[in-house]
Amino acid sequence: MPASLAVWTLSALLLLGLMTQSWWEPRLQARGVNIHAWPWRWWLLGYPRTTLRIWWTWRRVSMLNGLAVSWRPNQRLIGRDMVVQGQALRPKPPRLGLPTPTRSGVSVRVVMHPGQTPAPYLEAARALEHAWHVHGVRVRSPRRGVVVITATANDPLTGKNSAVQRPEALPLLSLDVGQSEDGPPWVIDFRKVPHWLVTGATQSGKSSLLAAMVRALARQPVALVGIDCKGGMELGLFGRRFSKLAIDRKRALLVLASMVEEIEHRMTLCRAAAARSVWGLPEERRPIPIVVIVDELAELYLNDGSRESREEAERCGTLLLRLAQLGAALGVHLVAAGQRVGSDLGPRVTALRAQLGGRVAHRAHDEASAEMTLGDLNPDAVVIAQTISEEEQGVAVVATGGRWMRARSHLISTADVAEIAAIPGPPHPFLSVQKRASERGDSVA
């Protein structure tokens, strides 16, 4: 009786909603609620089916993957001096909460048995994918004794999902560069994570991500500085939007030296105002933020064995490291991209990598490349990065701190590149240039 009553009540509510749609739909749209972007098909059909499958398989999956625990001891004394040891026949699975729907899947809270850790649940993720017939399963532990299992029904990073959330407006130095696996936009915030490392094999999507960053920064009052030692084939397409652009290592040395000089001038400004960072200065005195984008980082470190080449590589490594160590509080941010960022490039690469708190790993040819990017932040993300296929161009694993996610960058068209190239950069963004001009008595206005 209660089950049939629930079915009839739900059916009546659904019928009432359809009959009054012409009344409530325009009122919701007037408040900014777009009901057509809601995943109705998943909520009405996919979510109930997946929920039933979770409840139906949970006990068996728990027993097969070592998640169930017996409350009885696994050994018993027989007689005076004989102990029989065995496996309990009826272990108890962990307590499963009510699955709640998300935009692209379902999330369920599990209370672990005393003495359990999240490790067995992480190992059982692939088994849960097959048992629940979902695209992916992620396990995290928001607090002690609890794990949250999030299942994604379908791959949201195929580029075919039309119901994608887009942010209305983002603050300065916050960039909408793509879509995350959970549905919300992939936002990079330089105020929270000031420096980023982007790695991946050829044709994996590094250039697409850099282009998405440039497009997001193009209309912000931010100075862009580019180092593209492939002759400017990638960053050079964006024309005068870059305030400075180096297309070989000799010019890169000059650009990096000027950025370190800029940092020193900003230090002087902050010290005179008793501010710990440029964000503590009054807005009218605050210098323009600078984002330095380095494409193909290895080109700055490689040498041909000659003394001059070794000195250039060492000098580049020193300047990059100083920029990463000192720039965050002074409004100078670094994005370094390359195929591999390992100690084989030079002794200072490891120190530089430690300063880059944001990591983006695209498809890699080997485990070592993914390990170099993600291993020191989140070892679990290394395994996920190795599952990215050649067909998933632009898909990457993003790690900051102890958290990671899968995401895909926006595809930037030729028309977008031409539009960005026509946008001029902010006038006179460098304090060092203004200082030299004032010493000569010239005007920079």
Side-chain angles (χ1 to χ4, degrees):
M1 182 65 182
S4 60
L5 179 61
V7 171
W8 280 107
T9 303
L10 183 61
S11 301
L13 291 175
L14 182 60
L15 181 60
L16 179 63
L18 292 174
M19 293 176 63
T20 59
Q21 182 177 2
S22 59
W23 177 83
W24 52 261
E25 182 176 353
R27 286 167 172 78
L28 288 178
Q29 289 180 348
R31 295 177 177 269
V33 179
N34 184 13
I35 65 168
H36 298 290
W38 294 353
W40 291 107
R41 181 179 179 84
W42 163 249
W43 287 346
L44 295 177
L45 300 177
Y47 164 67
R49 184 170 59 244
T50 303
T51 299
L52 292 175
R53 193 175 288 123
I54 290 173
W55 285 337
W56 179 259
T57 61
W58 178 242
R59 180 177 182 83
R60 285 177 292 172
V61 171
S62 299
M63 293 177 62
L64 290 174
N65 291 274
L67 306 180
V69 174
S70 174
W71 295 106
R72 296 177 178 272
N74 60 354
Q75 57 185 16
R76 184 178 294 275
L77 180 65
I78 298 180
R80 299 178 58 184
D81 55 359
M82 180 177 294
V83 175
V84 177
Q85 187 169 359
Q87 185 175 1
L89 295 178
R90 294 185 61 84
K92 185 177 180 180
R95 193 174 71 194
L96 186 71
L98 178 67
T100 57
T102 62
R103 291 188 62 88
S104 58
V106 63
S107 179
V108 61
R109 180 174 174 270
V110 178
V111 179
M112 294 186 290
H113 290 301
Q116 278 189 325
T117 64
Y121 294 84
L122 289 168
E123 296 176 359
R126 294 301 301 275
L128 295 175
E129 291 176 7
H130 291 280
W132 298 348
H133 297 184
V134 293
H135 168 72
V137 167
R138 286 184 56 189
V139 179
R140 59 185 180 90
S141 180
R143 63 184 181 87
R144 297 291 187 266
V146 173
V147 294
V148 175
I149 303 175
T150 303
T152 306
N154 299 299
D155 187 2
L157 304 181
T158 58
K160 301 178 181 179
N161 187 3
S162 59
V164 177
Q165 301 178 25
R166 293 268 68 87
E168 295 298 330
L170 291 174
L172 182 66
L173 291 174
S174 291
L175 320 178
D176 171 20
V177 296
Q179 180 189 354
S180 68
E181 185 178 43
D182 296 334
W186 173 15
V187 176
I188 289 179
D189 189 348
F190 283 106
R191 294 286 301 275
K192 295 180 179 179
V193 184
H195 306 310
W196 286 80
L197 173 64
V198 181
T199 63
T202 304
Q203 300 294 321
S204 62
K206 297 192 306 296
S207 298
S208 296
L209 175 57
L210 296 183
M213 287 183 176
V214 173
R215 185 178 71 170
L217 289 166
R219 299 191 181 279
Q220 295 190 16
V222 175
L224 295 180
V225 174
I227 297 176
D228 184 359
C229 291
K230 295 188 298 183
M233 294 176 59
E234 297 291 346
L235 300 182
L237 300 176
F238 298 104
R240 57 177 182 155
R241 186 55 185 89
F242 276 86
S243 301
K244 293 185 178 183
L245 179 63
I247 60 174
D248 55 44
R249 189 160 67 181
K250 290 187 181 296
R251 300 180 191 179
L253 272 172
L254 298 175
V255 168
L256 290 174
S258 68
M259 287 299 99
V260 173
E261 181 185 0
E262 176 71 19
I263 287 175
E264 292 171 353
H265 281 83
R266 294 184 178 212
M267 283 181 181
T268 303
L269 179 64
C270 290
R271 188 167 56 248
R276 292 185 175 182
S277 71
V278 295
W279 306 108
L281 297 172
E283 188 173 355
E284 64 274 7
R285 298 183 57 194
R286 186 182 305 153
I288 293 175
I290 302 172
V291 177
V292 181
I293 301 177
V294 181
D295 195 11
E296 292 300 339
L297 183 67
E299 293 293 328
L300 299 180
Y301 288 90
L302 297 178
N303 65 83
D304 57 9
S306 65
R307 179 179 178 180
E308 180 183 4
S309 181
R310 290 197 305 269
E311 289 178 351
E312 282 185 358
E314 186 175 351
R315 181 67 174 154
C316 281
T318 301
L319 292 172
L320 274 172
L321 184 57
R322 290 199 65 194
L323 192 153
Q325 288 177 332
L326 304 174
L330 300 167
V332 181
H333 306 276
L334 176 64
V335 178
Q339 296 187 32
R340 286 174 61 89
V341 188
S343 57
D344 53 328
L345 297 181
R348 287 180 174 80
V349 173
T350 304
L352 175 65
R353 188 174 63 211
Q355 298 293 327
L356 307 178
R359 309 289 178 83
V360 181
H362 294 84
R363 175 178 53 84
H365 291 309
D366 56 351
E367 181 182 359
S369 298
E371 179 71 30
M372 291 173 189
T373 308
L374 304 170
D376 56 338
L377 291 187
N378 200 311
D380 298 329
V382 177
V383 180
I384 304 301
Q386 292 179 267
T387 64
I388 301 174
S389 65
E390 295 183 358
E391 290 75 22
E392 296 177 296
Q393 187 175 2
V395 175
V397 175
V398 186
T400 54
R403 302 180 59 186
W404 63 269
M405 67 175 183
R406 288 176 79 245
R408 187 174 207 150
S409 58
H410 293 310
L411 181 63
I412 307 301
S413 64
T414 306
D416 293 330
V417 172
E419 181 182 354
I420 296 168
I423 301 174
H428 316 300
F430 305 114
L431 294 182
S432 54
V433 176
Q434 298 175 21
K435 180 70 173 178
R436 287 195 297 268
S438 63
E439 290 174 351
R440 295 195 304 264
D442 300 334
S443 175
V444 295

